[in-house]
Amino acid sequence: MPSSVQVQILDRLKVVAAADYSSGFSGANLSSTGRVIIGAPVGAPLVPSAAIIYIDTIETQGRTLGRYVGESVYQIVCYVGGSTLEKRIQLAINLGSDIQKAITIDRTLGLSGLIEDVLVNQTALDGEEYGIAQTGIALLEVRVSHQSIYGV
C-alpha cells in the first residue's frame, strides 16, 4: 500500500539524516540503528542522535485547475555532547549543518516528480537549559514544497 506524500518525505528525511558525518563539520556518526528516530522523545535518547517530527501541511490551489500545492513542515532535533557551553553550541551548529547539507544536496530528497523544493532553517541552543546535561541541541525546520492532483 503506498504512503501519503507526508510519510514518504518523513521516511526519506530519516534515511538522509542517518549518515556518518565523521568527515563532516561535526564528526558525529548517526548511521547506527536508533541514532535517528521518528517522533518526539523525552530528552536525548542517545548522544549524538536526531529525532524527526512532522509538524503540519498547508495546501493551496495549484497553478492549474485540478492541482494542489502543499508545504509540509518537519522539525529535526539534533543532540550532541560537549563539555563546555561554547563547545555544545558549536557542535550543535555543526551537526545541524551536516544534516542540512545532506538534505539540500538533492533538493527533491530523491523523490523527483513529487517534491518541488526543500528549505532548511536552523538554530542551536544549550541542552542544559532544558535539563539535558552536557548536550547541545540543534533545531532544524525543514519546509518541503510539493504538488499533487488530490491534495495528499
Side-chain angles (χ1 to χ4, degrees):
M1 170 170 40
S3 295
S4 68
V5 64
Q6 293 90 345
V7 171
Q8 289 180 60
I9 295 166
L10 185 66
D11 291 341
R12 188 66 190 142
L13 287 172
K14 182 178 179 184
V15 168
V16 170
D20 184 353
Y21 303 110
S22 58
S23 61
F25 303 117
S26 66
N29 184 353
L30 300 185
S31 64
S32 302
T33 302
R35 292 283 175 179
V36 178
I37 63 168
I38 293 174
V42 176
L46 296 168
V47 177
S49 65
I52 305 170
I53 304 157
Y54 170 70
I55 304 297
D56 67 3
T57 298
I58 305 294
E59 291 189 328
T60 59
Q61 296 87 353
R63 296 170 196 92
T64 61
L65 188 61
R67 299 292 293 176
Y68 293 89
V69 175
E71 182 180 64
S72 295
V73 180
Y74 301 83
Q75 184 178 60
I76 302 177
V77 184
C78 311
Y79 303 97
V80 63
S83 57
T84 67
L85 172 61
E86 181 176 339
K87 198 68 171 165
R88 288 190 292 273
I89 296 298
Q90 290 171 342
L91 288 171
I93 292 169
N94 283 338
L95 180 55
S97 296
D98 280 334
I99 293 173
Q100 181 173 353
K101 182 178 176 184
I103 290 169
T104 57
I105 282 175
D106 174 4
R107 291 172 61 173
T108 67
L109 297 174
L111 299 170
S112 184
L114 182 64
I115 303 302
E116 290 185 341
D117 201 3
V118 60
L119 297 172
V120 181
N121 300 310
Q122 181 185 158
T123 191
L125 42 95
D126 183 22
E128 298 269 349
E129 296 176 41
Y130 299 92
I132 306 172
Q134 303 295 304
T135 304
I137 300 172
L139 300 174
L140 282 69
E141 177 190 62
V142 182
R143 295 183 166 273
V144 182
S145 58
H146 48 85
Q147 64 173 301
S148 69
I149 59 174
Y150 301 111
V152 291

